Amino acid sequence: MGVAAAGDMSEAFARAQDQRDELAPLRREFHFPQSKSGETLYFVGNSLGLQPKSVRAALEQELDDWARLGVEGHFAAKHPWLPYHEEVREPLARLVGALPHEVVAMNSLTTNLHLLMVSFYRPTKTRYKIVIEDTAFPSDSYAAASQIDFHSRLVGFEKRDALVRLKPREGEATLRTDDILAAIDRERGAIALVMLGGVNYLTGQLFDIATITRFAQEQGIVAGWDLAHAAGNAHVKLHDWNCDFAAWCSYKYLNSGPGAVAGAFVHERHTRDASAAAQLPRFAGWWGNDPATRFKMRPDFTPVASADAWQLSNPPVLALAPLRESLALFDRAAIGKLRSKSVALTAYLERLLAASPVAKRMHVLTPTDPAQRGAQLSLIIDGATRETSHRLLERGVYCDFREPNVIRVAPAPLYNSYHDVWRMVTVMSEVFS
Ligand SMILES: *Cc1c(COP(=O)(O)O)cnc(C)c1O
């Protein structure tokens, strides 16, 4: 984008950007909800992504196969059900920068965090702390605190100070990487696990996953990541960055529907050596057993040497079909290109807001550095309440309000256009003027 163009606030400029955008046609692959105002400006892909149009046929295929074949669908369905989780393995791996055998689609996000902590949070009397963001998503806080409680009863450590919550400096909204490292360093002998959100759900801050992971591991600490707001948004490289584990949901940027089946990553270091893998504590189920012996129906468990070892149950076919359809669109876009568009689109949103009448009563929580954020901008707007977001919705603007006073706006590069952004800022300016 040229310097002259960067100052251009016109509608024509937005249209021209869309003309030039090679990802623009992907927008037509999604259903947009109908709005009373006749215009839909959907900026909550960070909360529930839009439905890909191909999902309906994919679900009907499974329903038809079930009706037509019954149990034989496990083998004879168009997409056989028995290995159905394999359908999403490779696209999922591409999306999060993993090797195919390092990822698996299963369960829901919080369930996966628990299952992974069972294996990777292994506290002792002296090393037992878990580091999270002070503004971690509540479910992550509850999951970590309840793991601490569970283990403290068995191991007998002091659980009162076991959950370390990283707070920004006075007067700042986001965390500095150096401060995160310093906090880890201060208690390095006592910390068992660092488990942060790749992108913080409230502030939109994208953490330096590689640096934090490396630093934690140098102190003998496990580094796990919650990618709920990073998967399909930021360009992550879980394998190269050597992350120990990660989990994410698929209904936000991954557009796979309400309560969609989640994802999990376990670095191959932890599974390559079968005897080491067998030593890991794990809550096991039959779908984590080596497929070669799974149907021998033996009582002893042989974990498959991959992330699949954490799978408990046979794959939820009706939940996986939308994920497969959605991931096909990510493959069409390619995450690198998607991220480039996202960086430009969010910068455009930031620029328009800064030049709008909203600016004088607005404060942006999200870092201005594109390397430290994903698609989302978190705004504090003077006088904005939950009521205000209803008024925006009446005008067709979908954004969300988080207590106490944060409005989150996330242009999703798969389906949002520059013109969407331009219109959204125009409507906001009217509502807030
Ligand atoms: C959305 C979100 C969740 C939600 O958890 P579910 O188990 O999918 O209901 C948890 N953690 C984070 C960081 C989130 O953004």
Side-chain angles (χ1 to χ4, degrees):
M1 210 173 295
V3 175
D8 196 332
M9 303 297 159
S10 69
E11 183 170 19
F13 173 78
R15 293 280 193 211
Q17 290 299 101
D18 287 329
Q19 284 284 322
R20 215 173 294 151
D21 172 17
E22 62 173 312
L23 300 181
L26 285 164
R27 175 183 178 85
R28 292 198 291 274
E29 305 292 336
F30 292 89
H31 290 294
F32 283 73
Q34 310 250 314
S35 294
K36 274 184 265 168
S37 67
E39 175 179 50
T40 297
L41 300 163
Y42 199 81
F43 287 91
V44 283
N46 56 345
S47 186
L48 186 76
L50 292 178
Q51 181 186 136
K53 289 180 179 166
S54 64
V55 162
R56 185 175 298 271
L59 284 173
E60 279 174 358
Q61 178 74 51
E62 303 311 337
L63 293 173
D64 286 349
D65 286 349
W66 181 17
R68 202 165 49 85
L69 300 165
V71 71
E72 287 305 307
H74 284 302
F75 312 98
K78 181 173 176 211
H79 303 276
W81 301 331
L82 210 62
Y84 205 88
H85 57 288
E86 299 290 352
E87 303 247 329
V88 297
R89 183 188 304 289
E90 302 221 345
L92 210 49
R94 282 191 281 277
L95 199 70
V96 295
L99 301 174
H101 61 274
E102 290 175 324
V103 296
V104 58
M106 60 182 192
N107 312 313
S108 57
L109 167 55
T110 309
T111 308
N112 289 344
L113 291 177
H114 273 301
L115 291 174
L116 291 164
M117 278 192 276
V118 162
S119 299
F120 296 108
Y121 173 54
R122 303 181 60 187
T124 64
K125 261 189 156 40
T126 52
R127 191 192 268 277
Y128 55 88
K129 298 191 179 188
I130 301 180
V131 176
I132 62 173
E133 311 117 279
D134 190 40
T135 57
F137 195 88
S139 204
D140 301 48
S141 280
Y142 307 155
S146 59
Q147 288 280 337
I148 285 169
D149 177 58
F150 179 84
H151 285 286
S152 75
R153 293 167 193 240
L154 302 172
V155 181
F157 56 78
E158 177 51 66
K159 72 175 184 189
R160 243 186 346 212
D161 63 348
L163 193 57
V164 179
R165 311 188 71 105
L166 298 174
K167 290 190 179 61
R169 293 184 185 195
E170 192 66 33
E172 297 186 9
T174 54
L175 292 158
R176 302 186 191 190
T177 303
D178 284 347
D179 289 351
I180 297 174
L181 303 188
I184 294 171
D185 195 41
R186 249 190 324 273
E187 303 197 70
R188 61 181 177 275
I191 299 169
L193 170 66
V194 171
M195 191 175 77
L196 306 182
V199 173
N200 179 270
Y201 88 100
L202 189 64
T203 64
Q205 179 178 18
L206 167 59
F207 292 110
D208 185 343
I209 298 176
T211 300
I212 296 167
T213 296
R214 191 180 331 110
F215 187 81
Q217 289 171 345
E218 280 165 8
Q219 327 299 323
I221 299 167
V222 173
W225 291 90
D226 182 332
L227 300 186
H229 279 262
N233 179 21
H235 196 176
V236 297
K237 299 178 180 163
L238 292 176
H239 176 84
D240 288 351
W241 295 345
N242 205 38
C243 301
D244 288 287
F245 71 86
W248 56 92
C249 55
S250 309
Y251 47 82
K252 293 172 179 165
Y253 293 97
L254 295 192
N255 309 318
S256 300
V261 69
F265 164 91
V266 177
H267 198 282
E268 69 168 1
R269 283 182 288 117
H270 297 297
T271 58
R272 207 167 20 203
D273 171 354
S275 66
Q279 294 305 309
L280 277 178
R282 184 189 285 110
F283 287 171
W286 73 319
W287 235 254
N289 196 83
D290 186 346
T293 55
R294 183 182 293 146
F295 285 94
K296 302 241 189 272
M297 303 314 234
R298 292 185 190 135
D300 52 319
F301 178 74
T302 312
V304 55
S306 74
D308 285 21
W310 279 264
Q311 249 186 151
L312 300 181
S313 303
N314 70 101
V317 168
L318 295 177
L320 284 165
L323 179 58
R324 182 190 61 219
E325 296 307 310
S326 172
L327 290 174
L329 296 174
F330 277 91
D331 269 343
R332 263 173 66 186
I335 186 70
K337 278 190 194 162
L338 208 58
R339 173 66 178 153
S340 302
K341 174 177 173 185
S342 178
V343 166
L345 204 58
T346 296
Y348 178 59
L349 168 63
E350 186 178 44
R351 214 161 58 231
L352 288 186
L353 281 170
S356 78
V358 188
K360 60 180 184 298
R361 41 200 288 206
M362 179 188 79
H363 166 66
V364 183
L365 294 183
T366 312
T368 47
D369 173 9
Q372 292 183 59
R373 68 184 183 199
Q376 169 183 326
L377 291 184
S378 303
L379 316 172
I380 293 187
I381 302 179
D382 242 12
T385 60
R386 198 170 283 286
E387 215 295 294
T388 323
S389 59
H390 293 309
R391 273 182 23 237
L392 286 167
L393 189 57
E394 273 166 21
R395 304 280 311 269
V397 174
Y398 291 72
C399 56
D400 82 11
F401 180 80
R402 289 285 143 144
E403 298 293 349
N405 57 356
V406 178
I407 290 188
R408 305 185 307 169
V409 187
L414 260 185
Y415 51 73
N416 279 125
S417 63
Y418 288 82
H419 192 257
D420 283 348
V421 172
W422 187 86
R423 278 295 302 155
M424 201 273 291
V425 175
T426 305
V427 175
M428 266 207 170
S429 302
E430 288 162 13
V431 168
F432 288 110
S433 65

mmCIF file of all heavy atoms in Angstrom, residues 108-110 137 139-140 201 226 228-229 249 251-252, ligand 1:
data_model
loop_
_atom_site.group_PDB
_atom_site.id
_atom_site.type_symbol
_atom_site.label_atom_id
_atom_site.label_comp_id
_atom_site.label_asym_id
_atom_site.label_seq_id
_atom_site.Cartn_x
_atom_site.Cartn_y
_atom_site.Cartn_z
ATOM 1 N N SER A 108 -13.727 -30.837 23.011
ATOM 2 C CA SER A 108 -13.843 -29.381 23.011
ATOM 3 C C SER A 108 -12.558 -28.824 23.598
ATOM 4 O O SER A 108 -11.732 -29.570 24.128
ATOM 5 C CB SER A 108 -15.053 -28.957 23.837
ATOM 6 O OG SER A 108 -14.913 -29.471 25.147
ATOM 7 N N LEU A 109 -12.407 -27.517 23.512
ATOM 8 C CA LEU A 109 -11.140 -26.903 23.914
ATOM 9 C C LEU A 109 -10.799 -27.150 25.381
ATOM 10 O O LEU A 109 -9.701 -27.600 25.717
ATOM 11 C CB LEU A 109 -11.203 -25.398 23.625
ATOM 12 C CG LEU A 109 -10.106 -24.528 24.245
ATOM 13 C CD1 LEU A 109 -8.729 -25.018 23.871
ATOM 14 C CD2 LEU A 109 -10.304 -23.080 23.817
ATOM 15 N N THR A 110 -11.722 -26.849 26.281
ATOM 16 C CA THR A 110 -11.389 -26.980 27.708
ATOM 17 C C THR A 110 -11.106 -28.435 28.061
ATOM 18 O O THR A 110 -10.197 -28.729 28.856
ATOM 19 C CB THR A 110 -12.516 -26.397 28.587
ATOM 20 O OG1 THR A 110 -12.812 -25.066 28.124
ATOM 21 C CG2 THR A 110 -12.099 -26.318 30.041
ATOM 22 N N PHE A 137 -8.857 -16.312 29.600
ATOM 23 C CA PHE A 137 -10.272 -16.656 29.461
ATOM 24 C C PHE A 137 -10.688 -17.443 30.716
ATOM 25 O O PHE A 137 -9.932 -18.292 31.180
ATOM 26 C CB PHE A 137 -10.442 -17.503 28.202
ATOM 27 C CG PHE A 137 -11.862 -17.637 27.740
ATOM 28 C CD1 PHE A 137 -12.423 -16.700 26.882
ATOM 29 C CD2 PHE A 137 -12.637 -18.710 28.150
ATOM 30 C CE1 PHE A 137 -13.727 -16.829 26.447
ATOM 31 C CE2 PHE A 137 -13.944 -18.846 27.716
ATOM 32 C CZ PHE A 137 -14.494 -17.900 26.860
ATOM 33 N N SER A 139 -12.454 -19.961 31.392
ATOM 34 C CA SER A 139 -12.372 -21.419 31.358
ATOM 35 C C SER A 139 -10.929 -21.900 31.566
ATOM 36 O O SER A 139 -10.689 -22.918 32.218
ATOM 37 C CB SER A 139 -12.919 -21.947 30.027
ATOM 38 O OG SER A 139 -13.363 -23.276 30.164
ATOM 39 N N ASP A 140 -9.965 -21.165 31.031
ATOM 40 C CA ASP A 140 -8.561 -21.529 31.199
ATOM 41 C C ASP A 140 -8.137 -21.365 32.658
ATOM 42 O O ASP A 140 -7.392 -22.186 33.201
ATOM 43 C CB ASP A 140 -7.660 -20.673 30.295
ATOM 44 C CG ASP A 140 -8.016 -20.836 28.827
ATOM 45 O OD1 ASP A 140 -9.216 -20.757 28.488
ATOM 46 O OD2 ASP A 140 -7.109 -21.055 28.012
ATOM 47 N N TYR A 201 -7.756 -13.245 24.434
ATOM 48 C CA TYR A 201 -9.115 -13.057 23.932
ATOM 49 C C TYR A 201 -9.639 -11.636 24.184
ATOM 50 O O TYR A 201 -10.442 -11.116 23.423
ATOM 51 C CB TYR A 201 -10.060 -14.087 24.588
ATOM 52 C CG TYR A 201 -10.658 -13.634 25.895
ATOM 53 C CD1 TYR A 201 -11.956 -13.132 25.947
ATOM 54 C CD2 TYR A 201 -9.912 -13.663 27.076
ATOM 55 C CE1 TYR A 201 -12.493 -12.682 27.139
ATOM 56 C CE2 TYR A 201 -10.444 -13.213 28.265
ATOM 57 C CZ TYR A 201 -11.730 -12.724 28.294
ATOM 58 O OH TYR A 201 -12.262 -12.265 29.463
ATOM 59 N N ASP A 226 -2.853 -22.051 24.459
ATOM 60 C CA ASP A 226 -4.253 -22.075 24.075
ATOM 61 C C ASP A 226 -4.397 -21.200 22.827
ATOM 62 O O ASP A 226 -4.234 -19.980 22.893
ATOM 63 C CB ASP A 226 -5.119 -21.525 25.218
ATOM 64 C CG ASP A 226 -6.599 -21.576 24.865
ATOM 65 O OD1 ASP A 226 -6.924 -21.511 23.659
ATOM 66 O OD2 ASP A 226 -7.429 -21.683 25.778
ATOM 67 N N ALA A 228 -7.081 -20.669 20.977
ATOM 68 C CA ALA A 228 -8.484 -20.370 20.632
ATOM 69 C C ALA A 228 -8.598 -19.163 19.706
ATOM 70 O O ALA A 228 -9.338 -19.179 18.729
ATOM 71 C CB ALA A 228 -9.294 -20.125 21.905
ATOM 72 N N HIS A 229 -7.820 -18.110 20.021
ATOM 73 C CA HIS A 229 -7.901 -16.895 19.217
ATOM 74 C C HIS A 229 -6.739 -16.761 18.234
ATOM 75 O O HIS A 229 -6.597 -15.736 17.575
ATOM 76 C CB HIS A 229 -7.963 -15.662 20.133
ATOM 77 C CG HIS A 229 -9.334 -15.429 20.660
ATOM 78 N ND1 HIS A 229 -10.206 -14.533 20.098
ATOM 79 C CD2 HIS A 229 -10.006 -16.028 21.673
ATOM 80 C CE1 HIS A 229 -11.350 -14.569 20.753
ATOM 81 N NE2 HIS A 229 -11.254 -15.468 21.713
ATOM 82 N N CYS A 249 -10.117 -24.122 19.872
ATOM 83 C CA CYS A 249 -11.472 -24.460 19.455
ATOM 84 C C CYS A 249 -11.603 -24.162 17.963
ATOM 85 O O CYS A 249 -10.732 -23.541 17.366
ATOM 86 C CB CYS A 249 -12.490 -23.675 20.264
ATOM 87 S SG CYS A 249 -12.230 -21.898 20.193
ATOM 88 N N TYR A 251 -14.697 -23.028 16.474
ATOM 89 C CA TYR A 251 -15.903 -22.266 16.122
ATOM 90 C C TYR A 251 -15.634 -20.781 15.968
ATOM 91 O O TYR A 251 -16.501 -20.043 15.566
ATOM 92 C CB TYR A 251 -17.021 -22.491 17.153
ATOM 93 C CG TYR A 251 -16.579 -22.382 18.590
ATOM 94 C CD1 TYR A 251 -16.453 -21.144 19.202
ATOM 95 C CD2 TYR A 251 -16.254 -23.521 19.316
ATOM 96 C CE1 TYR A 251 -16.028 -21.040 20.519
ATOM 97 C CE2 TYR A 251 -15.827 -23.433 20.636
ATOM 98 C CZ TYR A 251 -15.711 -22.182 21.233
ATOM 99 O OH TYR A 251 -15.272 -22.091 22.515
ATOM 100 N N LYS A 252 -14.421 -20.324 16.326
ATOM 101 C CA LYS A 252 -14.100 -18.903 16.185
ATOM 102 C C LYS A 252 -13.590 -18.671 14.758
ATOM 103 O O LYS A 252 -14.353 -18.814 13.826
ATOM 104 C CB LYS A 252 -13.111 -18.499 17.282
ATOM 105 C CG LYS A 252 -13.770 -18.582 18.651
ATOM 106 C CD LYS A 252 -12.842 -18.383 19.833
ATOM 107 C CE LYS A 252 -13.643 -18.469 21.134
ATOM 108 N NZ LYS A 252 -12.787 -18.631 22.317
HETATM 109 C C1 LIG B 1 -13.321 -19.342 23.414
HETATM 110 C C2 LIG B 1 -12.343 -19.738 24.423
HETATM 111 C C3 LIG B 1 -12.582 -20.823 25.284
HETATM 112 C C4 LIG B 1 -13.880 -21.576 25.264
HETATM 113 O O1 LIG B 1 -13.726 -22.877 25.739
HETATM 114 P P1 LIG B 1 -14.657 -24.074 25.216
HETATM 115 O O2 LIG B 1 -14.117 -25.231 25.940
HETATM 116 O O3 LIG B 1 -14.506 -24.131 23.730
HETATM 117 O O4 LIG B 1 -16.068 -23.742 25.571
HETATM 118 C C5 LIG B 1 -11.586 -21.172 26.187
HETATM 119 N N1 LIG B 1 -10.413 -20.496 26.235
HETATM 120 C C6 LIG B 1 -10.167 -19.445 25.420
HETATM 121 C C7 LIG B 1 -8.851 -18.732 25.509
HETATM 122 C C8 LIG B 1 -11.122 -19.025 24.510
HETATM 123 O O5 LIG B 1 -10.869 -17.974 23.726
#
